[in-house]
Amino acid sequence: MTKVGVVLSGCGVYDGSEIHETVITLLALDRAGATAVCMAPNMEQTVVNHLTGEQMEGVTRNVLEEAARIARGAITDIAKIKASDIDALILPGGFGAAKNLCNFAVKGTDCEVHPEVARLIREVVAAKKPLAAICIAPALVSKVLGDDNLAHKLTIGTDEGTAKAVTTMGSTHVECPVREFVIDKENKLVSTPAYMLAGNISEAAEGIEKTVKAVMEML
Amino acid sequence: MTKVGVVLSGCGVYDGSEIHETVITLLALDRAGATAVCMAPNMEQTVVNHLTGEQMEGVTRNVLEEAARIARGAITDIAKIKASDIDALILPGGFGAAKNLCNFAVKGTDCEVHPEVARLIREVVAAKKPLAAICIAPALVSKVLGDDNLAHKLTIGTDEGTAKAVTTMGSTHVECPVREFVIDKENKLVSTPAYMLAGNISEAAEGIEKTVKAVMEML
């Protein structure tokens, strides 16, 4: 049975994993006959009120506990997962990918990536296993691979500022419409813009479904 | 443009809306060309740690704010929605449907339904607009329609205890496998077991996609 790791970063677009992107990923994997291995870092996160869009001052939640909501409790601390446990790795988006898995949302190109997330990405790439990143998640992949001076290409859609940032961090950025994906066959790296560009859930779903299919075809 | 109300009850299977069921509903609606009108009651809820499955003592969250996570902020207090605002109504499952939208999880057949949820269900049924309930949500529909002595049929899958409860509350219960749905054409009432029976997300998705299709065909 093919096992595909899915790295979550909380539960909710403004401070965690983008929920639609994550569920669409889980459904596409299951329909492709793969078992999703959900994981998240065991760390505190800040919280955004998703009704108002405002930061909830002084409130924190645990990323692993909140991510467990999307995974229906079936989730593991990413620190316990090695590349040898999985056949591929997918990182959905949401601000959690840019605030919890790394601090790109605050520090931009000078960001640091959570050490366990960076470790697993390096292990997966070194093992020549497929790696997919959705929405803003390619930014943290860019930081990790860029720091290693590994030439690679990916997309964050068409946003000029973010495209410039991933170029600065070491990626070759490829513009990509929302219903498509970009594949770097040499590094087995797939990326799709999803809600970086999507105006509705169907647009995000089409790009993600194609991304999952591309991952499965590389196995 | 067809507008379909989706009644949320928080964000997470153990204390809110079942996230997979909700996202699959939203995606199926969008792909069918309908606009989802997400809504939830503005009320406090208790909180379950989804990593451990344990109640978080003394902690509460707001149902509308948490449900906004799944809706990406595009959500309205159910008290502000009338049946005339929508063409159909869908209630996804999750324990929030049995703890927040009503207290069936605690009181069983003696449960009370949140007054705004009960009002909107009554309005939709009276207007002869389609109503769909997923997973455990048929239990609260059963309570509302049973109290009104409206003969109707629905499913909660095959669980004997829950089937007996909805029968007691006034429904005719029809057993249903996970990938199917039950339709009461006279009352335009559709129901599917989803995670009452599903062993994986694909099983839940198939029943929900068929349910949404049945709702759209009745419009």
Side-chain angles (χ1 to χ4, degrees):
Chain A
M1 189 77 167
T2 302
K3 292 182 183 176
V4 179
V6 181
V7 184
L8 304 190
S9 60
C11 178
V13 56
Y14 299 129
D15 60 14
S17 287
E18 211 300 309
I19 292 173
H20 300 187
E21 292 174 3
T22 306
V23 173
I24 290 162
T25 300
L26 296 176
L27 180 56
L29 286 172
D30 197 60
R31 283 183 162 165
T35 299
V37 178
C38 290
M39 65 190 84
N42 187 356
M43 62 182 285
E44 292 301 294
Q45 60 160 92
T46 58
V47 179
V48 172
N49 178 327
H50 280 58
L51 186 61
T52 62
E54 286 170 18
Q55 193 82 24
M56 294 172 77
E57 296 303 329
V59 177
T60 65
R61 295 181 183 175
N62 179 283
V63 170
L64 183 57
E65 289 174 7
E66 296 309 313
R69 294 177 174 272
I70 308 182
R72 295 171 49 87
I75 195 164
T76 305
D77 182 345
I78 192 171
K80 296 177 182 166
I81 305 281
K82 301 182 297 291
S84 56
D85 297 325
I86 53 178
D87 300 298
L89 188 66
I90 301 182
L91 296 98
F95 274 96
K99 289 177 172 178
N100 304 330
L101 303 187
C102 72
N103 53 15
F104 178 78
V106 177
K107 291 199 172 181
T109 56
D110 292 327
C111 66
E112 294 108 30
V113 179
H114 187 287
E116 295 296 342
V117 176
R119 171 194 58 78
L120 189 58
I121 289 172
R122 287 196 167 98
E123 285 180 14
V124 166
V125 171
K128 297 284 181 194
K129 294 180 176 181
L131 175 70
I134 296 165
C135 186
I136 191 64
L140 69 96
V141 174
S142 172
K143 184 65 180 179
V144 172
L145 303 188
D147 279 359
D148 291 352
N149 293 312
L150 182 73
H152 65 279
K153 62 181 182 181
L154 51 71
T155 190
I156 49 75
T158 55
D159 182 71
E160 282 185 27
T162 313
K164 194 175 170 190
V166 299
T167 303
T168 301
M169 291 192 287
S171 306
T172 299
H173 182 260
V174 183
E175 287 207 354
C176 180
V178 64
R179 294 178 185 274
E180 296 301 325
F181 63 97
V182 165
I183 187 162
D184 174 337
K185 288 191 179 170
E186 194 173 348
N187 297 298
K188 293 188 179 173
L189 182 61
V190 191
S191 48
T192 187
Y195 276 112
M196 286 294 289
L197 292 176
N200 57 55
I201 186 172
S202 297
E203 287 183 349
E206 189 171 331
I208 293 167
E209 287 165 355
K210 288 176 180 173
T211 293
V212 169
K213 186 164 180 283
V215 166
M216 296 301 292
E217 285 173 353
M218 281 192 287
L219 290 173
Chain B
M1 189 78 168
T2 302
K3 291 182 182 176
V4 179
V6 181
V7 184
L8 304 190
S9 59
C11 179
V13 57
Y14 298 130
D15 59 15
S17 287
E18 210 301 308
I19 293 172
H20 300 186
E21 291 174 4
T22 307
V23 174
I24 290 161
T25 300
L26 297 176
L27 179 57
L29 287 171
D30 196 59
R31 283 182 162 163
T35 299
V37 178
C38 291
M39 64 190 83
N42 186 357
M43 62 181 285
E44 293 300 294
Q45 60 162 90
T46 58
V47 179
V48 172
N49 177 328
H50 280 57
L51 186 62
T52 63
E54 287 170 18
Q55 193 82 24
M56 293 172 78
E57 297 302 331
V59 178
T60 65
R61 295 179 182 176
N62 179 283
V63 170
L64 184 57
E65 289 175 7
E66 297 308 314
R69 293 176 174 274
I70 307 181
R72 296 171 50 86
I75 195 164
T76 304
D77 182 346
I78 191 171
K80 296 177 183 168
I81 306 280
K82 302 182 297 288
S84 56
D85 297 324
I86 52 177
D87 300 298
L89 187 67
I90 301 182
L91 296 98
F95 274 97
K99 289 176 172 180
N100 304 330
L101 302 187
C102 71
N103 54 15
F104 178 79
V106 177
K107 293 199 171 180
T109 56
D110 292 328
C111 67
E112 294 109 28
V113 179
H114 187 287
E116 295 296 342
V117 176
R119 171 194 57 78
L120 188 57
I121 289 172
R122 286 194 169 99
E123 285 180 14
V124 166
V125 171
K128 298 284 183 194
K129 294 181 178 183
L131 175 70
I134 296 165
C135 186
I136 191 64
L140 69 96
V141 175
S142 173
K143 184 66 180 178
V144 173
L145 302 188
D147 279 358
D148 291 352
N149 294 312
L150 181 73
H152 65 279
K153 62 180 183 181
L154 50 72
T155 190
I156 51 74
T158 56
D159 181 73
E160 283 186 26
T162 314
K164 194 176 171 190
V166 299
T167 304
T168 301
M169 291 191 289
S171 306
T172 299
H173 183 259
V174 183
E175 287 207 353
C176 179
V178 64
R179 294 177 184 275
E180 296 302 326
F181 64 96
V182 165
I183 186 161
D184 175 337
K185 288 190 180 174
E186 196 172 347
N187 296 298
K188 294 189 180 174
L189 181 61
V190 191
S191 46
T192 187
Y195 276 111
M196 285 296 289
L197 291 177
N200 57 55
I201 187 172
S202 298
E203 287 183 350
E206 189 172 332
I208 293 167
E209 286 164 355
K210 287 176 180 172
T211 293
V212 169
K213 187 164 180 282
V215 165
M216 296 300 293
E217 284 172 356
M218 282 192 288
L219 289 173

